[in-house]
Amino acid sequence: MSQPVLKVEHLKKYYPIRKGAFSKEKAVVKACDDVSFELRAGETLGIVGESGCGKTTTMQSVIRLIEPTGGAILLNGQDFRAMKGAELKQARQKIKLIFQDPYSSLNPRMTVKDIIAEPLDIAGVCKDKAERDRRVLETMEQVGLDLSYVNRYPHEFSGGQRQRIGIARAIVLRPDVVVCDEPVSALDVSIQAKIINLLRQFQHDLGLAYIFISHDLGVVRHIADRVLVMYLGRVVEEGESRELFAHPLHPYTRALLDSVPRMDADGRPAAALQGDVPSPADPPSGCLFHTRCPYAKEVCSEKVPELRECSLGHKCACHFAGALPLNAN
Ligand code: SF4
């Protein structure tokens, strides 16, 4: 098997907070706690969970948009966390980001050409203006943007076209890893499929590895090879996409799947996930999911379940993984 392009080990991002507005007592929000994964060329890792589950903090820590509190990040075998200055600048060419919102992520005062060329300019990789223009036009062609748009501004484009500009900006330096942060959630359903297919095409052509962050399990199922399910900053289930969607082990994963809008066998809306995500400033004891879990027993509020391998490559953090009935009711 090939070496991972990205290896993340026990990644942590903790935020110290005050317990109350007038309290001196300190607490820690564990926005990303002990997250580990590997990513190989041509592979897509999906990270799913509700809003506030830690997906975005994990992604921002991995690419060092924010500095992690602990853990290791190896990019092509090199210690990414230890890098500084020119070495970090060089390494950042290999890991790029596609933002969620194509409406706010593009500078309205820059032309399409300058937006796509910005990473080339920062990296200083083009020997002259002719090479810069050639690489911009080549990338525009790859993402299906009409070359006559090169001097236009973002407001002149639809959401789908703006996301194509965002993708062009992310791939123009030919990175190894692209982090896609909810890249289609702001787009119409009809456009989503086109953008997903475009991402898959690049993966096939350029061997890109993706981290695909989404709350939409339907989209993740379609694109991801492996999936991490996160809850309150921790990974609660991990596995091959096909296996995880066919045989979800963790009650939270099952609840997320049940929350995907659909009708059950009787034609009634399927059960949604009950209750709200607890405050990360005051998380539940033991299993973080026990306040919402229909299977919770006494031990669940007392003991933190380990993320353990239940079948080959399929891990779950539940005291009763593999022993739960298929339905709570
Ligand atoms: Fe539910 Fe207990 Fe499993 Fe947590 S450990 S998911 S509370 S059954």
Side-chain angles (χ1 to χ4, degrees), residues 125-144:
V125 291
C126 294
K127 64 178 186 300
D128 54 27
K129 186 175 168 299
E131 186 187 348
R132 180 186 191 260
D133 289 353
R134 180 184 59 73
R135 288 183 69 165
V136 168
L137 294 176
E138 189 182 276
T139 310
M140 282 181 71
E141 209 161 25
Q142 283 178 317
V143 299

Side-chain angles (χ1 to χ4, degrees), residues 67-100:
E67 284 301 329
T69 309
I73 303 165
L74 299 178
L75 183 61
N76 290 315
Q78 306 293 312
D79 185 351
F80 188 52
R81 280 198 69 199
M83 291 180 189
K84 293 188 181 114
E87 191 187 16
L88 178 61
K89 189 175 162 188
Q90 180 85 16
R92 282 211 158 116
Q93 296 177 27
K94 294 293 168 198
I95 185 160
K96 289 289 165 193
L97 178 64
I98 296 172
F99 293 91
Q100 175 176 7

Side-chain angles (χ1 to χ4, degrees), residues 251 254 258 293-295 324-329:
R254 292 185 190 179
D258 281 346
C293 180
Y295 306 101
L324 294 173
L326 286 176
N327 284 303
N329 303 318

Side-chain angles (χ1 to χ4, degrees), residues 250-251 287 289-290 293 295-297 300 305 317-320 324:
H250 198 283
C287 173
F289 190 58
H290 86 257
C293 180
Y295 306 101
K297 298 196 172 26
C300 301
C318 169
H319 293 308
F320 306 105
L324 294 173

Side-chain angles (χ1 to χ4, degrees), residues 169-183:
R169 178 176 59 184
I171 66 160
V172 70
L173 274 170
R174 298 292 180 265
D176 294 325
V177 179
V178 178
V179 179
C180 310
D181 183 13
E182 303 261 11

